[in-house]
Amino acid sequence: IAHTADIGVAIARPRPPDTPPDTPGVGIDVVEITQHPDSTLTYALSESELALLESFGPAERHRWFARFWAAKEAVGKGEGTGLDGRPRRFTVVAATESGLVVTVGDRVYQVGFREVRNPDDLPPRTYVVAWTWGPEPASAPSRGMPSTPDTPNRVPPTPAGG
């Protein structure tokens, strides 16, 4: 479960009966796309994540930071710990329009996301909803998302009018 401003989201998935209670699972978060000071970015992101964020260009910085942050929060919920005041423990290692890859310890999470807007009768706001179905098994296919946690990936920005 997650909420901010005028939106709330939830995700659920049944677990097999023999699953230990501390096993990572699903996670979801929602973040409003807004401007943040540099101090927020340097608190939340590692040097490699900052470099990945900057690779999208200044025009996309706020959108991609919201995607990174929502992905980290979703994975924190999947871990059952939240970010626990240590957002850099969760590392975005790949990011494309298809999804993000976040690592924590030796676990790798594929994270999907969508942008949504308030209806016309509410204040104009845009959000990122990010979710994960849990960590990937070592041999799992990538489901069309970036799958190489050792090499940061990104989609180049689309030129205006293209």
Side-chain angles (χ1 to χ4, degrees):
I1 274 183
H3 62 88
T4 190
D6 304 309
I7 187 172
V9 294
I11 190 171
R13 181 180 185 182
R15 290 183 182 231
D18 59 342
T19 303
D22 60 346
T23 301
V26 300
I28 193 165
D29 197 51
V30 59
V31 174
E32 185 176 355
I33 298 174
T34 61
Q35 294 186 21
H36 295 280
D38 287 344
S39 60
T40 300
L41 276 61
T42 57
Y43 169 75
L45 304 177
S46 67
E47 290 298 320
S48 64
E49 290 172 306
L50 286 168
L52 181 57
L53 178 67
E54 293 305 321
S55 74
F56 291 102
E60 292 295 311
R61 182 179 188 189
H62 303 301
R63 170 175 278 112
W64 279 98
F65 178 72
R67 292 172 179 178
F68 283 24
W69 186 256
K72 287 179 174 231
E73 288 276 8
V75 170
K77 291 174 183 177
E79 284 282 300
T81 62
L83 295 182
D84 196 29
R86 300 179 297 153
R88 290 182 181 195
R89 186 170 75 97
F90 301 83
T91 306
V92 177
V93 295
T96 71
E97 292 291 342
S98 299
L100 297 100
V101 177
V102 177
T103 61
V104 57
D106 61 351
R107 287 187 285 280
V108 177
Y109 288 79
Q110 302 283 341
V111 180
F113 67 87
R114 292 290 179 271
E115 289 185 15
V116 295
R117 291 189 171 98
N118 274 349
D120 292 339
D121 59 337
L122 292 175
R125 292 187 176 113
T126 304
Y127 309 94
V128 173
V129 178
W131 65 90
T132 183
W133 294 108
E136 296 293 317
S139 62
S142 70
R143 289 188 254 156
M145 292 190 223
S147 62
T148 54
D150 297 328
T151 307
N153 291 314
R154 72 171 199 89
V155 167
T158 303

